[in-house]
Amino acid sequence: MTDEVRVGRRTIQLSRTDKVLFPDDGVTKGDLISYYETVAPRMVPYLKGRPLSLERFPDGIDGQQVFQQTVPRYFPDWIETASVKRLGGAGNVKHAVVSSAAALVYLANQACITPHTWLSRADRPRKPDQLIFDLDPSGDDFPAARRAALDVRELLTDLGLPSLLKTTGGKGLHVHVLLDRTADFDQVREFASGVAQVLVARDPKRYTIEQRIAKREGRLYLDIMRNAYGQTAVPPYAVRARAGAPVATPLDWSELDDRRMRGDRFTIRSVVRRFERDGDPWRGSSRRRSLTRPWRRLNDLLTEK
């Protein structure tokens, strides 16, 4: 089945829009395309300027996963690209960059269910403009992720850093800090590691920085590993390749009081109604911070622990 859609100034040829991508839910590629076209005005600002890695499922989420970094030759020349140094190797990788609704729709037509973004922008790829704590509970324990998010927020506030919250579309939560791009990835990751160490020292029965699952002993893993050159994170409003077609969704901190909240609560079928009703909780949160002063306070806390 072939069709076309006009998005802005672009006409995009669509293919196999009736292909079911989420078998348990009946969500088709056409549904995915329609969703990304609808959400584009809110999502594209979180993608602009960032190299992307594309998580594609041409035959649906039960089929083969294609995790694509390099832009294929058949992509149209109006899709923006960014050439950045290859992680751990020679040469560069040419990544796709989404700067328009049309580009997002084009990727959806390629069965890209989830575009994963860098934490830096292509013009200064080694200087991240955000820091992420990935709060990954042991098993299906969202209350543990909720508690961890609040503890992370409290510590960051004490350090002078406001934070943002979103569901991952999986089991847990992401806490974001917007940065002014003065620190490089090594410095940002060291800072994030220090924050995690303080939290573990305060509550070692609840939190761990142990990467090996077997050694976590039921504790919540404070994952700071995404804060590195070439690593990616799921951006706001991205669909996840999981049953139910859940969506990574920005939250207001007050929403953690809702005991119905889960990391996969919002889906491709419900999140549009949510932001049409309530707007984007992250809207207006654009001020970016330096880590210089927070580092001084964090060093005091690390010394105390």
Side-chain angles (χ1 to χ4, degrees):
M1 180 176 179
T2 302
D3 204 345
E4 65 180 31
V5 63
R6 183 78 176 176
V7 184
R9 296 177 298 163
R10 307 293 180 186
T11 299
I12 301 169
Q13 299 296 319
L14 306 179
S15 62
R16 300 177 69 195
T17 55
D18 57 347
K19 174 67 182 178
V20 176
L21 298 182
F22 294 80
D24 292 343
D25 309 284
V27 175
T28 66
K29 190 166 79 167
D31 294 329
L32 183 74
I33 291 167
S34 178
Y35 167 77
Y36 276 127
E37 183 180 8
T38 299
V39 82
R42 299 180 187 273
M43 185 175 180
V44 168
Y46 298 118
L47 304 177
K48 275 189 175 181
R50 300 185 188 280
L52 300 179
S53 294
L54 312 179
E55 187 180 8
R56 299 174 53 230
F57 291 84
D59 295 313
I61 63 171
D62 291 342
Q64 183 179 5
Q65 176 201 50
V66 179
F67 200 79
Q68 190 168 36
Q69 296 189 58
T70 303
V71 172
R73 293 182 178 180
Y74 62 80
F75 270 33
D77 57 11
W78 55 264
I79 297 288
E80 187 178 340
T81 62
S83 182
V84 294
K85 185 172 177 57
R86 187 182 302 276
L87 176 64
N92 288 4
V93 178
K94 187 164 79 170
H95 292 262
V97 176
V98 165
S99 297
S100 67
L104 191 57
V105 168
Y106 181 87
L107 295 184
N109 187 54
Q110 300 299 311
C112 175
I113 291 177
T114 313
H116 297 257
T117 62
W118 281 37
L119 275 62
S120 59
R121 298 180 185 270
D123 61 335
R124 297 169 67 184
R126 296 191 179 275
K127 295 293 184 76
D129 65 354
Q130 58 183 300
L131 176 160
I132 292 182
F133 294 93
D134 185 0
L135 306 178
D136 184 19
S138 178
D140 189 17
D141 188 5
F142 187 76
R146 176 193 292 115
R147 185 168 51 238
L150 292 171
D151 286 345
V152 171
R153 182 198 190 196
E154 181 180 16
L155 178 51
L156 291 172
T157 299
D158 290 345
L159 296 173
L161 292 171
S163 53
L164 300 171
L165 179 70
K166 80 169 189 286
T167 66
T168 63
K171 295 186 299 180
L173 294 163
H174 282 168
V175 176
H176 291 241
V177 176
L178 303 183
L179 303 176
D180 65 359
R181 303 207 292 179
T182 55
D184 62 25
F185 269 111
D186 289 342
Q187 294 166 321
V188 170
R189 189 170 184 175
E190 186 180 359
F191 179 86
S193 176
V195 171
Q197 289 174 48
V198 170
L199 290 169
V200 170
R202 289 178 175 179
D203 200 342
K205 293 183 178 180
R206 183 169 290 166
Y207 301 128
T208 182
I209 53 176
E210 177 57 60
Q211 294 184 44
R212 287 168 290 186
I213 295 176
K215 292 194 173 184
R216 295 180 190 170
E217 299 176 339
R219 295 169 294 177
L220 184 137
Y221 175 44
L222 300 170
D223 187 355
I224 54 93
M225 303 303 288
R226 298 182 188 280
N227 300 290
Y229 179 84
Q231 298 300 309
T232 61
V234 177
Y237 302 115
V239 182
R240 305 304 307 277
R242 303 170 184 266
V247 172
T249 306
L251 300 179
D252 184 271
W253 281 99
S254 64
E255 292 183 274
L256 286 186
D257 294 336
D258 185 347
R259 294 298 168 179
R260 297 170 299 173
M261 186 60 67
R262 294 177 51 86
D264 59 358
R265 178 176 177 180
F266 301 106
T267 71
I268 195 172
R269 289 181 169 143
S270 67
V271 77
V272 173
R273 292 194 302 272
R274 166 187 164 81
F275 68 65
E276 286 178 346
R277 182 186 68 240
D278 301 328
D280 185 347
W282 287 14
R283 185 176 181 181
S285 302
S286 58
R287 183 179 176 186
R288 299 184 177 276
R289 306 298 179 111
S290 166
L291 291 180
T292 301
R293 289 185 178 179
W295 248 126
R296 295 172 189 155
R297 176 57 180 152
L298 180 61
N299 281 330
D300 291 340
L301 295 178
L302 289 168
T303 301
E304 291 170 6
K305 80 177 181 69

